């Protein structure tokens, strides 16, 4: 998802993971906190998405909401784990584990929206078509166009399709007033997370040198507040989770189950879908 000039402040050969082989690097100074983690804060902030993904998986399995819903949350978990590994090592192989699962997770959400009914309409044709597109993008990205811009374009294409079908499902559904209000709230929170994160991601990329000088000036621990790529992780973790929860709720509304479920918050922070009248245990 974009990149900056490589970090030349330190000799990476002296640290645990050795020379960077990824095609992109980020604004956080490499190995500044730990000899074993290339980008400490960029790695740590991925645990926010991991937490919400695990909550989503547990919720989907507990209430039997289907493999498609579980797969969306599992995709988030894979993305967050891949991103953590990438920022920890700055290796090309782990970079792929960060970028490619984003495509697959978005494609899974698109499939869940198109095949929203319990009965499958398109059989194997739709998953085969989506899988073929993702496989083609994967092979081209690995063996031919190793440019992050290509990955971004492919991801944007899949995202546009997902947004289109999400809007289509929202319009044609006639859920109860509470559900419609909840979906509007989820979409708003998702947009705030995604666009807010995208804004900080650009600031981090464009003004990297200034941010590094500011971090050097304020010192530890206040420098962590200026790790804007880490804030991008946190905001997009919430944005992505709210997007998937919205798809989750739309599917429940399609099946007439939306009045039985709502969004709860673990520790008052991390959202997940649970029973309306369930007793909170978090």
């Amino acid at each position: 998802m974009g990149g900056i000039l490589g970090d030349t402040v330190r000799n990476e050969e002296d640290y645990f993971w050795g020379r960077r082989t990824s095609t992109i690097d980020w604004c956080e100074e490499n190995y500044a906190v730990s000899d074993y983690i290339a980008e400490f804060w960029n790695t740590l902030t991925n645990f926010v998405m991991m937490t919400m993904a695990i909550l989503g998986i547990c919720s989907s399995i507990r209430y039997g909401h289907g493999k498609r819903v579980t797969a969306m949350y599992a995709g988030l978990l894979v993305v967050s784990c891949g991103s953590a590994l990438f920022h920890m090592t700055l290796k090309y192989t782990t970079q792929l584990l960060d970028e490619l699962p984003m495509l697959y997770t978005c494609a899974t959400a698109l499939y869940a929206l198109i095949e929203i009914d319990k009965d499958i309409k398109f059989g194997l044709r739709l998953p085969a078509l989506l899988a073929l597109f993702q496989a083609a993008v994967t092979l081209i990205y690995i063996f031919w166009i190793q440019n992050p811009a290509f990955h971004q374009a492919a991801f944007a294409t899949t995202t546009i399709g997902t947004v289109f079908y999400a809007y289509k499902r929202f319009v044609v559904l006639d859920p109860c007033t509470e559900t419609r209000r909840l979906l509007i709230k989820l979409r708003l929170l998702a947009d705030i997370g995604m666009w807010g994160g995208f804004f900080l991601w650009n600031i981090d990329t464009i003004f990297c040198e200034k941010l590094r000088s500011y971090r050097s000036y304020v010192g530890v621990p206040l420098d962590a507040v200026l790790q804007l790529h880490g804030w991008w992780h946190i905001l997009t973790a919430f944005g992505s989770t709210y997007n998937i929860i919205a798809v989750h709720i739309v599917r429940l509304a399609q099946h007439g189950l939306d009045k039985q479920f709502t969004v709860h918050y673990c520790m008052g922070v991390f959202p997940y879908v649970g029973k309306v009248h369930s007793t909170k245990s978090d």
Side-chain angles (χ1 to χ4, degrees):
M1 294 180 291
I4 62 169
L5 295 176
D7 187 353
T8 57
V9 176
R10 294 168 175 79
N11 179 11
E12 294 173 342
E13 296 288 354
D14 296 336
Y15 295 91
F16 184 79
W17 297 104
R19 184 177 62 87
R20 174 178 66 87
T21 59
S22 62
T23 60
I24 50 179
D25 198 352
W26 304 101
C27 193
E28 182 177 353
E29 297 83 353
N30 297 346
Y31 296 103
V33 177
S34 170
D35 291 353
Y36 301 95
I37 302 176
E39 295 177 345
F40 181 82
W41 296 110
N42 287 349
T43 301
L44 185 66
T45 47
N46 278 288
F47 283 90
V48 174
M49 183 180 288
M50 288 183 197
T51 300
M52 290 186 284
I54 292 171
L55 286 172
I57 292 171
C58 293
S59 171
S60 178
I61 294 175
R62 177 182 180 183
Y63 298 113
H65 288 167
K67 295 178 181 178
R68 280 167 277 183
V69 173
T70 304
M72 289 190 295
Y73 290 114
L76 273 187
L77 181 59
V78 173
V79 169
S80 58
C81 290
S83 180
L85 288 171
F86 168 43
H87 288 290
M88 182 171 65
T89 64
L90 291 179
K91 296 295 186 179
Y92 180 64
T93 51
T94 54
Q95 177 184 337
L96 295 178
L97 291 177
D98 174 25
E99 295 175 329
L100 294 177
M102 293 170 54
L103 290 168
Y104 310 149
T105 302
C106 193
T108 303
L110 177 58
Y111 175 75
L113 282 166
I114 296 175
E115 290 283 18
I116 200 166
D117 299 317
K118 291 182 179 179
D119 297 328
I120 303 298
K121 292 181 180 179
F122 298 99
L124 293 176
R125 289 175 293 170
L126 178 60
L129 180 62
L130 290 172
L132 182 62
F133 175 74
Q134 303 303 329
V137 170
T138 299
L139 293 174
I140 292 172
Y141 189 45
I142 293 176
F143 297 108
W144 186 20
I145 307 177
Q146 296 179 343
N147 188 325
F150 174 75
H151 165 266
Q152 293 164 24
F155 179 68
T157 301
T158 311
T159 301
I160 290 171
T162 305
V163 171
F164 169 77
Y165 267 94
Y167 176 76
K168 184 178 179 181
R169 295 304 185 190
F170 178 76
V171 170
V172 300
L173 281 175
D174 186 24
C176 63
T177 303
E178 291 80 4
T179 301
R180 186 170 292 277
R181 288 174 180 168
L182 176 59
L183 287 171
I184 292 173
K185 178 182 176 181
L186 291 172
R187 290 299 312 146
L188 178 61
L189 291 171
D191 287 342
I192 291 173
M194 298 304 292
W195 287 107
F198 183 68
F199 173 76
L200 293 182
W201 176 81
N202 279 282
I203 296 297
D204 188 70
T205 302
I206 297 170
F207 300 104
C208 176
E209 294 303 324
K210 288 185 178 180
L211 285 169
R212 284 183 171 179
S213 66
Y214 295 156
R215 290 198 291 262
S216 177
Y217 176 76
V218 299
V220 179
L222 294 178
D223 60 327
V225 179
L226 297 175
Q227 297 289 355
L228 299 190
H229 193 81
W231 286 109
W232 144 265
H233 283 163
I234 293 172
L235 286 173
T236 54
F238 279 96
S240 300
T241 302
Y242 279 122
N243 270 320
I244 288 183
I245 288 177
V247 177
H248 191 163
I249 296 295
V250 167
R251 284 182 55 82
L252 290 174
Q254 182 72 14
H255 300 159
L257 300 173
D258 51 301
K259 293 182 181 180
Q260 301 178 31
F261 294 90
T262 189
V263 177
H264 297 293
Y265 289 86
C266 178
M267 297 183 290
V269 177
F270 305 112
Y272 67 95
V273 175
K275 284 277 191 178
V276 170
H277 300 296
S278 63
T279 302
K280 290 187 178 181
S281 60
D282 45 306

